[in-house]
Short mmCIF file of all heavy atoms in Angstrom, two decimals:
data_model
loop_
_atom_site.label_atom_id
_atom_site.label_comp_id
_atom_site.label_asym_id
_atom_site.label_seq_id
_atom_site.Cartn_x
_atom_site.Cartn_y
_atom_site.Cartn_z
N MET A 30 4.51 16.72 -0.73
CA MET A 30 4.09 15.57 -1.57
C MET A 30 2.65 15.20 -1.25
O MET A 30 2.23 15.28 -0.10
CB MET A 30 5.02 14.38 -1.30
CG MET A 30 4.90 13.26 -2.33
SD MET A 30 5.84 11.78 -1.87
CE MET A 30 7.43 12.13 -2.60
N THR A 31 1.92 14.80 -2.27
CA THR A 31 0.53 14.40 -2.04
C THR A 31 0.46 13.06 -1.31
O THR A 31 1.45 12.32 -1.27
CB THR A 31 -0.23 14.23 -3.37
OG1 THR A 31 0.43 13.20 -4.12
CG2 THR A 31 -0.24 15.51 -4.19
N ILE A 32 -0.69 12.76 -0.76
CA ILE A 32 -0.87 11.46 -0.10
C ILE A 32 -0.65 10.33 -1.11
O ILE A 32 0.02 9.35 -0.81
CB ILE A 32 -2.28 11.38 0.53
CG1 ILE A 32 -2.31 12.27 1.77
CG2 ILE A 32 -2.63 9.94 0.89
CD1 ILE A 32 -3.67 12.42 2.39
N ALA A 33 -1.18 10.50 -2.32
CA ALA A 33 -0.99 9.46 -3.35
C ALA A 33 0.49 9.25 -3.63
O ALA A 33 0.96 8.11 -3.74
CB ALA A 33 -1.73 9.85 -4.62
N GLY A 34 1.25 10.34 -3.70
CA GLY A 34 2.69 10.24 -3.95
C GLY A 34 3.42 9.56 -2.81
O GLY A 34 4.33 8.76 -3.03
N GLN A 35 3.02 9.86 -1.59
CA GLN A 35 3.65 9.22 -0.41
C GLN A 35 3.36 7.73 -0.38
O GLN A 35 4.22 6.92 -0.03
CB GLN A 35 3.10 9.85 0.88
CG GLN A 35 3.57 11.26 1.12
CD GLN A 35 2.99 11.81 2.42
OE1 GLN A 35 3.15 11.21 3.46
NE2 GLN A 35 2.31 12.93 2.33
N ILE A 36 2.14 7.37 -0.73
CA ILE A 36 1.76 5.96 -0.73
C ILE A 36 2.53 5.20 -1.80
O ILE A 36 3.08 4.12 -1.56
CB ILE A 36 0.23 5.80 -0.92
CG1 ILE A 36 -0.49 6.30 0.34
CG2 ILE A 36 -0.15 4.35 -1.22
CD1 ILE A 36 -2.00 6.35 0.22
N GLU A 37 2.63 5.77 -2.99
CA GLU A 37 3.38 5.11 -4.06
C GLU A 37 4.85 4.96 -3.69
O GLU A 37 5.46 3.93 -3.93
CB GLU A 37 3.23 5.91 -5.37
CG GLU A 37 1.84 5.79 -5.97
CD GLU A 37 1.79 6.30 -7.40
OE1 GLU A 37 2.66 5.93 -8.19
OE2 GLU A 37 0.89 7.09 -7.70
N ALA A 38 5.43 5.99 -3.08
CA ALA A 38 6.84 5.92 -2.68
C ALA A 38 7.05 4.84 -1.62
O ALA A 38 8.03 4.09 -1.67
CB ALA A 38 7.28 7.28 -2.14
N LEU A 39 6.12 4.73 -0.68
CA LEU A 39 6.21 3.71 0.37
C LEU A 39 6.16 2.31 -0.23
O LEU A 39 6.99 1.46 0.08
CB LEU A 39 5.07 3.91 1.37
CG LEU A 39 4.90 2.83 2.45
CD1 LEU A 39 6.13 2.76 3.35
CD2 LEU A 39 3.67 3.11 3.30
N ILE A 40 5.19 2.08 -1.11
CA ILE A 40 5.05 0.75 -1.72
C ILE A 40 6.29 0.41 -2.56
O ILE A 40 6.79 -0.72 -2.52
CB ILE A 40 3.77 0.69 -2.58
CG1 ILE A 40 2.52 0.83 -1.69
CG2 ILE A 40 3.70 -0.62 -3.36
CD1 ILE A 40 1.23 1.05 -2.45
N GLN A 41 6.81 1.38 -3.27
CA GLN A 41 7.99 1.13 -4.11
C GLN A 41 9.23 0.85 -3.26
O GLN A 41 10.06 0.02 -3.62
CB GLN A 41 8.24 2.31 -5.04
CG GLN A 41 7.18 2.38 -6.14
CD GLN A 41 7.48 3.46 -7.17
OE1 GLN A 41 8.61 3.87 -7.34
NE2 GLN A 41 6.45 3.89 -7.88
N ARG A 42 9.34 1.51 -2.12
CA ARG A 42 10.48 1.27 -1.22
C ARG A 42 10.50 -0.17 -0.72
O ARG A 42 11.55 -0.70 -0.37
CB ARG A 42 10.43 2.21 -0.01
CG ARG A 42 11.10 3.54 -0.23
CD ARG A 42 11.54 4.18 1.10
NE ARG A 42 10.46 4.29 2.07
CZ ARG A 42 9.59 5.30 2.12
NH1 ARG A 42 9.66 6.26 1.24
NH2 ARG A 42 8.66 5.34 3.06
N LEU A 43 9.33 -0.78 -0.62
CA LEU A 43 9.24 -2.15 -0.09
C LEU A 43 9.69 -3.20 -1.11
O LEU A 43 9.82 -4.37 -0.78
CB LEU A 43 7.81 -2.43 0.38
CG LEU A 43 7.40 -1.62 1.61
CD1 LEU A 43 5.90 -1.72 1.85
CD2 LEU A 43 8.16 -2.07 2.84
N GLU A 44 9.90 -2.78 -2.33
CA GLU A 44 10.49 -3.63 -3.38
C GLU A 44 9.86 -5.02 -3.49
O GLU A 44 10.54 -6.04 -3.36
CB GLU A 44 12.00 -3.75 -3.15
CG GLU A 44 12.68 -2.40 -3.28
CD GLU A 44 14.19 -2.49 -3.16
OE1 GLU A 44 14.66 -3.34 -2.39
OE2 GLU A 44 14.87 -1.72 -3.86
N GLY A 45 8.56 -5.03 -3.72
CA GLY A 45 7.89 -6.30 -3.97
C GLY A 45 7.19 -6.88 -2.77
O GLY A 45 6.38 -7.79 -2.89
N VAL A 46 7.50 -6.37 -1.55
CA VAL A 46 6.80 -6.83 -0.35
C VAL A 46 5.44 -6.14 -0.32
O VAL A 46 5.34 -4.93 -0.50
CB VAL A 46 7.61 -6.48 0.92
CG1 VAL A 46 6.83 -6.85 2.18
CG2 VAL A 46 8.97 -7.17 0.89
N ALA A 47 4.40 -6.94 -0.09
CA ALA A 47 3.05 -6.38 -0.09
C ALA A 47 2.76 -5.65 1.22
O ALA A 47 3.27 -6.02 2.28
CB ALA A 47 2.04 -7.50 -0.27
N ILE A 48 1.95 -4.61 1.14
CA ILE A 48 1.54 -3.87 2.34
C ILE A 48 0.04 -3.61 2.27
O ILE A 48 -0.49 -3.25 1.22
CB ILE A 48 2.36 -2.55 2.48
CG1 ILE A 48 2.00 -1.82 3.78
CG2 ILE A 48 2.17 -1.64 1.27
CD1 ILE A 48 2.93 -0.65 4.12
N CYS A 49 -0.64 -3.82 3.40
CA CYS A 49 -2.09 -3.63 3.42
C CYS A 49 -2.43 -2.17 3.71
O CYS A 49 -1.58 -1.40 4.15
CB CYS A 49 -2.72 -4.56 4.46
SG CYS A 49 -2.33 -4.13 6.16
N ASP A 50 -3.68 -1.82 3.47
CA ASP A 50 -4.11 -0.43 3.65
C ASP A 50 -3.94 0.03 5.10
O ASP A 50 -3.63 1.19 5.36
CB ASP A 50 -5.57 -0.27 3.23
CG ASP A 50 -5.75 -0.48 1.73
OD1 ASP A 50 -4.76 -0.47 1.00
OD2 ASP A 50 -6.91 -0.64 1.31
N ASP A 51 -4.14 -0.90 6.04
CA ASP A 51 -4.01 -0.52 7.45
C ASP A 51 -2.58 -0.13 7.79
O ASP A 51 -2.34 0.83 8.52
CB ASP A 51 -4.46 -1.68 8.35
CG ASP A 51 -5.95 -1.91 8.28
OD1 ASP A 51 -6.70 -0.92 8.24
OD2 ASP A 51 -6.37 -3.07 8.23
N CYS A 52 -1.62 -0.91 7.25
CA CYS A 52 -0.22 -0.60 7.54
C CYS A 52 0.22 0.68 6.82
O CYS A 52 1.02 1.44 7.34
CB CYS A 52 0.68 -1.77 7.14
SG CYS A 52 0.53 -3.17 8.26
N ILE A 53 -0.32 0.92 5.63
CA ILE A 53 -0.03 2.18 4.94
C ILE A 53 -0.54 3.35 5.78
O ILE A 53 0.15 4.34 6.00
CB ILE A 53 -0.69 2.20 3.53
CG1 ILE A 53 0.01 1.20 2.61
CG2 ILE A 53 -0.63 3.61 2.94
CD1 ILE A 53 -0.68 1.02 1.27
N THR A 54 -1.77 3.21 6.28
CA THR A 54 -2.38 4.24 7.12
C THR A 54 -1.52 4.53 8.33
O THR A 54 -1.26 5.67 8.70
CB THR A 54 -3.79 3.78 7.56
OG1 THR A 54 -4.56 3.47 6.41
CG2 THR A 54 -4.50 4.85 8.37
N ASP A 55 -1.02 3.44 8.95
CA ASP A 55 -0.19 3.55 10.15
C ASP A 55 1.16 4.20 9.83
O ASP A 55 1.61 5.12 10.52
CB ASP A 55 -0.01 2.14 10.70
CG ASP A 55 0.59 2.17 12.09
OD1 ASP A 55 0.03 2.88 12.94
OD2 ASP A 55 1.62 1.52 12.31
N ARG A 56 1.81 3.70 8.81
CA ARG A 56 3.15 4.19 8.44
C ARG A 56 3.16 5.67 8.05
O ARG A 56 4.11 6.39 8.33
CB ARG A 56 3.70 3.38 7.27
CG ARG A 56 4.27 2.04 7.67
CD ARG A 56 5.43 2.25 8.60
NE ARG A 56 5.95 1.02 9.14
CZ ARG A 56 7.05 0.42 8.68
NH1 ARG A 56 7.73 0.93 7.68
NH2 ARG A 56 7.48 -0.68 9.24
N LEU A 57 2.12 6.09 7.36
CA LEU A 57 2.09 7.47 6.87
C LEU A 57 1.29 8.40 7.77
O LEU A 57 1.10 9.57 7.47
CB LEU A 57 1.53 7.50 5.44
CG LEU A 57 2.36 6.75 4.38
CD1 LEU A 57 1.69 6.86 3.02
CD2 LEU A 57 3.77 7.29 4.30
N ASN A 58 0.82 7.83 8.92
CA ASN A 58 0.03 8.63 9.86
C ASN A 58 -1.17 9.31 9.20
O ASN A 58 -1.44 10.49 9.45
CB ASN A 58 0.91 9.69 10.54
CG ASN A 58 1.88 9.06 11.51
OD1 ASN A 58 1.50 8.21 12.31
ND2 ASN A 58 3.12 9.46 11.43
N LEU A 59 -1.85 8.56 8.34
CA LEU A 59 -3.06 9.10 7.73
C LEU A 59 -4.18 9.08 8.77
O LEU A 59 -4.17 8.25 9.68
CB LEU A 59 -3.46 8.24 6.52
CG LEU A 59 -2.38 8.07 5.45
CD1 LEU A 59 -2.90 7.19 4.32
CD2 LEU A 59 -1.94 9.40 4.90
N SER A 60 -5.13 9.99 8.64
CA SER A 60 -6.17 10.06 9.66
C SER A 60 -7.18 8.94 9.53
O SER A 60 -7.67 8.42 10.53
CB SER A 60 -6.87 11.42 9.60
OG SER A 60 -7.24 11.73 8.28
N VAL A 61 -7.50 8.54 8.32
CA VAL A 61 -8.44 7.43 8.14
C VAL A 61 -7.95 6.48 7.05
O VAL A 61 -7.27 6.88 6.10
CB VAL A 61 -9.86 7.92 7.75
CG1 VAL A 61 -10.53 8.59 8.93
CG2 VAL A 61 -9.81 8.85 6.56
N ARG A 62 -8.30 5.20 7.21
CA ARG A 62 -7.87 4.16 6.30
C ARG A 62 -8.37 4.38 4.88
O ARG A 62 -7.73 3.99 3.92
CB ARG A 62 -8.38 2.81 6.84
CG ARG A 62 -7.98 1.61 6.04
CD ARG A 62 -8.47 0.35 6.77
NE ARG A 62 -8.34 -0.82 5.93
CZ ARG A 62 -9.20 -1.15 4.98
NH1 ARG A 62 -10.25 -0.39 4.75
NH2 ARG A 62 -9.01 -2.23 4.26
N SER A 63 -9.52 5.03 4.75
CA SER A 63 -10.07 5.24 3.41
C SER A 63 -9.17 6.12 2.55
O SER A 63 -9.20 6.06 1.33
CB SER A 63 -11.48 5.84 3.49
OG SER A 63 -11.45 7.07 4.17
N GLN A 64 -8.33 6.93 3.19
CA GLN A 64 -7.37 7.74 2.42
C GLN A 64 -6.39 6.85 1.69
O GLN A 64 -5.99 7.13 0.56
CB GLN A 64 -6.58 8.66 3.36
CG GLN A 64 -7.33 9.89 3.80
CD GLN A 64 -6.44 10.79 4.63
OE1 GLN A 64 -5.98 10.41 5.69
NE2 GLN A 64 -6.17 11.97 4.14
N ALA A 65 -5.95 5.77 2.33
CA ALA A 65 -5.03 4.82 1.69
C ALA A 65 -5.80 4.00 0.66
O ALA A 65 -5.32 3.78 -0.46
CB ALA A 65 -4.39 3.90 2.73
N ASN A 66 -6.99 3.56 1.04
CA ASN A 66 -7.76 2.68 0.17
C ASN A 66 -8.09 3.31 -1.17
O ASN A 66 -8.03 2.65 -2.21
CB ASN A 66 -9.04 2.25 0.89
CG ASN A 66 -9.83 1.25 0.08
OD1 ASN A 66 -10.83 1.60 -0.53
ND2 ASN A 66 -9.36 0.02 0.03
N VAL A 67 -8.43 4.58 -1.17
CA VAL A 67 -8.82 5.22 -2.42
C VAL A 67 -7.63 5.27 -3.39
O VAL A 67 -7.79 5.18 -4.60
CB VAL A 67 -9.42 6.62 -2.17
CG1 VAL A 67 -8.36 7.63 -1.77
CG2 VAL A 67 -10.18 7.10 -3.39
N VAL A 68 -6.42 5.36 -2.84
CA VAL A 68 -5.23 5.39 -3.68
C VAL A 68 -4.84 3.98 -4.14
O VAL A 68 -4.63 3.73 -5.33
CB VAL A 68 -4.03 6.04 -2.94
CG1 VAL A 68 -2.76 5.95 -3.78
CG2 VAL A 68 -4.34 7.48 -2.62
N THR A 69 -4.76 3.03 -3.20
CA THR A 69 -4.31 1.67 -3.55
C THR A 69 -5.29 0.99 -4.50
O THR A 69 -4.89 0.23 -5.36
CB THR A 69 -4.13 0.79 -2.29
OG1 THR A 69 -5.32 0.77 -1.53
CG2 THR A 69 -2.99 1.30 -1.44
N ARG A 70 -6.57 1.29 -4.34
CA ARG A 70 -7.58 0.72 -5.24
C ARG A 70 -7.29 1.09 -6.69
O ARG A 70 -7.52 0.33 -7.60
CB ARG A 70 -8.97 1.21 -4.84
CG ARG A 70 -9.97 0.11 -4.68
CD ARG A 70 -11.31 0.59 -4.17
NE ARG A 70 -11.65 1.97 -4.51
CZ ARG A 70 -12.30 2.79 -3.70
NH1 ARG A 70 -12.70 2.38 -2.53
NH2 ARG A 70 -12.58 4.01 -4.07
N GLY A 71 -6.81 2.31 -6.88
CA GLY A 71 -6.52 2.79 -8.22
C GLY A 71 -5.20 2.28 -8.78
O GLY A 71 -4.96 2.37 -9.98
N LEU A 72 -4.33 1.75 -7.90
CA LEU A 72 -3.00 1.33 -8.35
C LEU A 72 -2.99 -0.07 -8.96
O LEU A 72 -2.15 -0.38 -9.80
CB LEU A 72 -2.01 1.33 -7.17
CG LEU A 72 -1.57 2.69 -6.63
CD1 LEU A 72 -0.70 2.50 -5.41
CD2 LEU A 72 -0.82 3.47 -7.70
N GLY A 73 -3.89 -0.92 -8.48
CA GLY A 73 -3.87 -2.33 -8.88
C GLY A 73 -3.83 -2.53 -10.38
O GLY A 73 -4.62 -1.95 -11.11
N GLY A 74 -2.86 -3.31 -10.83
CA GLY A 74 -2.77 -3.65 -12.24
C GLY A 74 -2.10 -2.61 -13.11
O GLY A 74 -1.86 -2.84 -14.28
N ALA A 75 -1.74 -1.45 -12.52
CA ALA A 75 -1.12 -0.40 -13.33
C ALA A 75 0.33 -0.19 -12.92
O ALA A 75 0.67 -0.24 -11.74
CB ALA A 75 -1.90 0.90 -13.14
N GLY A 76 1.21 0.03 -13.88
CA GLY A 76 2.58 0.43 -13.60
C GLY A 76 3.37 -0.48 -12.69
O GLY A 76 4.19 -0.03 -11.92
N GLY A 77 3.10 -1.80 -12.77
CA GLY A 77 3.88 -2.75 -11.97
C GLY A 77 3.28 -3.01 -10.59
O GLY A 77 3.85 -3.76 -9.80
N TYR A 78 2.13 -2.41 -10.28
CA TYR A 78 1.50 -2.64 -8.99
C TYR A 78 0.59 -3.85 -9.05
O TYR A 78 -0.13 -4.05 -10.02
CB TYR A 78 0.66 -1.43 -8.56
CG TYR A 78 1.50 -0.23 -8.23
CD1 TYR A 78 1.70 0.77 -9.18
CD2 TYR A 78 2.09 -0.08 -6.99
CE1 TYR A 78 2.48 1.88 -8.89
CE2 TYR A 78 2.88 1.03 -6.69
CZ TYR A 78 3.06 2.00 -7.65
OH TYR A 78 3.83 3.09 -7.37
N ALA A 79 0.65 -4.68 -8.02
CA ALA A 79 -0.25 -5.82 -7.91
C ALA A 79 -1.08 -5.64 -6.64
O ALA A 79 -0.54 -5.32 -5.58
CB ALA A 79 0.54 -7.11 -7.84
N ARG A 80 -2.38 -5.79 -6.78
CA ARG A 80 -3.26 -5.64 -5.62
C ARG A 80 -4.09 -6.91 -5.53
O ARG A 80 -4.92 -7.19 -6.39
CB ARG A 80 -4.15 -4.42 -5.83
CG ARG A 80 -5.13 -4.18 -4.70
CD ARG A 80 -5.68 -2.78 -4.80
NE ARG A 80 -6.80 -2.59 -3.89
CZ ARG A 80 -6.65 -2.37 -2.59
NH1 ARG A 80 -5.45 -2.33 -2.07
NH2 ARG A 80 -7.70 -2.21 -1.81
N GLU A 81 -3.84 -7.70 -4.50
CA GLU A 81 -4.56 -8.97 -4.36
C GLU A 81 -4.54 -9.40 -2.90
O GLU A 81 -3.82 -8.81 -2.08
CB GLU A 81 -3.90 -10.03 -5.23
CG GLU A 81 -2.42 -10.20 -4.94
CD GLU A 81 -1.68 -10.92 -6.08
OE1 GLU A 81 -2.20 -10.99 -7.18
OE2 GLU A 81 -0.57 -11.39 -5.80
N LYS A 82 -5.33 -10.45 -2.62
CA LYS A 82 -5.37 -10.97 -1.26
C LYS A 82 -4.10 -11.77 -1.04
O LYS A 82 -3.86 -12.79 -1.69
CB LYS A 82 -6.62 -11.84 -1.07
CG LYS A 82 -6.90 -12.10 0.39
CD LYS A 82 -8.31 -12.64 0.60
CE LYS A 82 -8.58 -12.75 2.11
NZ LYS A 82 -9.84 -13.47 2.37
N GLN A 83 -3.25 -11.29 -0.17
CA GLN A 83 -1.94 -11.91 0.08
C GLN A 83 -1.48 -11.47 1.47
O GLN A 83 -2.02 -10.52 2.03
CB GLN A 83 -0.95 -11.48 -1.00
CG GLN A 83 -0.81 -9.96 -1.14
CD GLN A 83 0.02 -9.55 -2.34
OE1 GLN A 83 0.86 -10.29 -2.82
NE2 GLN A 83 -0.22 -8.34 -2.84
N PRO A 84 -0.48 -12.18 2.03
CA PRO A 84 -0.03 -11.78 3.37
C PRO A 84 0.66 -10.42 3.31
O PRO A 84 1.54 -10.20 2.47
CB PRO A 84 0.98 -12.87 3.75
CG PRO A 84 0.76 -13.99 2.78
CD PRO A 84 0.23 -13.35 1.53
N CYS A 85 0.29 -9.53 4.20
CA CYS A 85 0.97 -8.25 4.30
C CYS A 85 2.36 -8.49 4.90
O CYS A 85 2.50 -9.22 5.87
CB CYS A 85 0.15 -7.32 5.19
SG CYS A 85 1.03 -5.81 5.67
N GLY A 86 3.38 -7.88 4.30
CA GLY A 86 4.74 -8.09 4.77
C GLY A 86 5.04 -7.45 6.11
O GLY A 86 6.04 -7.75 6.75
N LEU A 87 4.18 -6.56 6.56
CA LEU A 87 4.43 -5.86 7.82
C LEU A 87 3.66 -6.45 8.99
O LEU A 87 4.20 -6.67 10.05
CB LEU A 87 4.13 -4.37 7.67
CG LEU A 87 5.23 -3.56 6.97
CD1 LEU A 87 5.26 -3.82 5.48
CD2 LEU A 87 5.07 -2.08 7.24
N CYS A 88 2.35 -6.70 8.79
CA CYS A 88 1.54 -7.21 9.92
C CYS A 88 1.21 -8.70 9.75
O CYS A 88 0.61 -9.29 10.65
CB CYS A 88 0.26 -6.40 10.08
SG CYS A 88 -0.92 -6.59 8.73
N SER A 89 1.57 -9.30 8.60
CA SER A 89 1.40 -10.73 8.35
C SER A 89 -0.05 -11.18 8.18
O SER A 89 -0.30 -12.36 8.01
CB SER A 89 2.06 -11.59 9.43
OG SER A 89 3.43 -11.30 9.49
N SER A 90 -1.01 -10.28 8.24
CA SER A 90 -2.40 -10.67 8.00
C SER A 90 -2.60 -10.91 6.52
O SER A 90 -2.03 -10.20 5.69
CB SER A 90 -3.36 -9.57 8.42
OG SER A 90 -3.03 -9.05 9.66
N VAL A 91 -3.41 -11.93 6.20
CA VAL A 91 -3.74 -12.16 4.80
C VAL A 91 -4.95 -11.32 4.46
O VAL A 91 -6.06 -11.57 4.94
CB VAL A 91 -4.05 -13.65 4.52
CG1 VAL A 91 -4.44 -13.84 3.07
CG2 VAL A 91 -2.82 -14.50 4.86
N LYS A 92 -4.72 -10.27 3.70
CA LYS A 92 -5.83 -9.41 3.27
C LYS A 92 -5.40 -8.70 1.99
O LYS A 92 -4.26 -8.88 1.53
CB LYS A 92 -6.24 -8.42 4.35
CG LYS A 92 -5.11 -7.65 4.98
CD LYS A 92 -5.69 -6.78 6.10
CE LYS A 92 -4.70 -6.50 7.20
NZ LYS A 92 -5.27 -5.72 8.28
N VAL A 93 -6.30 -7.95 1.43
CA VAL A 93 -5.96 -7.27 0.17
C VAL A 93 -4.80 -6.31 0.44
O VAL A 93 -4.91 -5.38 1.23
CB VAL A 93 -7.18 -6.52 -0.39
CG1 VAL A 93 -6.79 -5.76 -1.66
CG2 VAL A 93 -8.29 -7.51 -0.72
N SER A 94 -3.68 -6.59 -0.21
CA SER A 94 -2.47 -5.80 -0.02
C SER A 94 -1.91 -5.41 -1.38
O SER A 94 -2.17 -6.07 -2.38
CB SER A 94 -1.42 -6.61 0.75
OG SER A 94 -1.97 -7.09 1.96
N THR A 95 -1.10 -4.39 -1.40
CA THR A 95 -0.55 -3.88 -2.65
C THR A 95 0.97 -4.03 -2.65
O THR A 95 1.63 -3.73 -1.65
CB THR A 95 -0.92 -2.39 -2.83
OG1 THR A 95 -2.31 -2.23 -2.59
CG2 THR A 95 -0.58 -1.90 -4.24
N SER A 96 1.50 -4.52 -3.77
CA SER A 96 2.96 -4.63 -3.90
C SER A 96 3.36 -4.03 -5.22
O SER A 96 2.54 -3.80 -6.12
CB SER A 96 3.39 -6.10 -3.82
OG SER A 96 2.71 -6.87 -4.78
N HIS A 97 4.65 -3.75 -5.36
CA HIS A 97 5.17 -3.17 -6.61
C HIS A 97 6.33 -4.01 -7.10
O HIS A 97 7.22 -4.35 -6.34
CB HIS A 97 5.63 -1.74 -6.39
CG HIS A 97 6.16 -1.08 -7.63
ND1 HIS A 97 7.49 -0.97 -7.91
CD2 HIS A 97 5.50 -0.53 -8.69
CE1 HIS A 97 7.63 -0.36 -9.09
NE2 HIS A 97 6.45 -0.10 -9.57
N HIS A 98 6.26 -4.37 -8.37
CA HIS A 98 7.32 -5.17 -8.98
C HIS A 98 7.84 -4.46 -10.20
O HIS A 98 7.06 -4.04 -11.05
CB HIS A 98 6.77 -6.57 -9.35
CG HIS A 98 6.15 -7.27 -8.18
ND1 HIS A 98 6.86 -8.12 -7.37
CD2 HIS A 98 4.90 -7.19 -7.66
CE1 HIS A 98 6.04 -8.55 -6.40
NE2 HIS A 98 4.87 -8.01 -6.56
N ARG A 99 9.14 -4.32 -10.27
CA ARG A 99 9.75 -3.65 -11.43
C ARG A 99 9.79 -4.57 -12.63
O ARG A 99 9.97 -5.73 -12.50
CB ARG A 99 11.18 -3.23 -11.09
CG ARG A 99 11.20 -2.20 -10.02
CD ARG A 99 12.61 -1.78 -9.68
NE ARG A 99 12.67 -1.12 -8.39
CZ ARG A 99 12.22 0.12 -8.18
NH1 ARG A 99 11.75 0.83 -9.15
NH2 ARG A 99 12.25 0.65 -6.97
ZN1 LIG B 118 -0.46 -4.91 7.18
#
């Protein structure tokens, strides 16, 4: 599976809970955060994805995080 596919699957599994790029990087063992950022940046506003400054459901920091709502 591509990195983009893994990131989308991870966000969808969280069922509406937002996740920040740092936690995505950590969870998927990506080598650099920019790998997550380039994907999440493209997701915002499309296909039920919301990308905004909100508390991350995993690390609780308020920063730009991505969530998915059906
Ligand atoms: Zn986080």
Side-chain angles (χ1 to χ4, degrees):
M30 194 188 270
T31 61
I32 287 173
Q35 289 180 54
I36 290 174
E37 288 193 48
L39 173 62
I40 295 169
Q41 289 186 22
R42 272 204 306 275
L43 292 168
E44 296 184 326
V46 175
I48 184 170
C49 69
D50 293 346
D51 290 320
C52 287
I53 291 173
T54 304
D55 192 53
R56 280 298 175 101
L57 297 180
N58 290 313
L59 304 180
S60 49
V61 289
R62 182 176 169 280
S63 59
Q64 281 185 297
N66 184 257
V67 73
V68 175
T69 55
R70 231 175 28 217
L72 288 175
Y78 292 97
R80 179 165 170 78
E81 55 198 17
K82 195 165 186 189
Q83 55 189 334
C85 168
L87 280 75
C88 67
S89 301
S90 314
V91 178
K92 49 184 152 182
V93 177
S94 306
T95 311
S96 55
H97 181 260
H98 305 268
R99 295 180 198 287

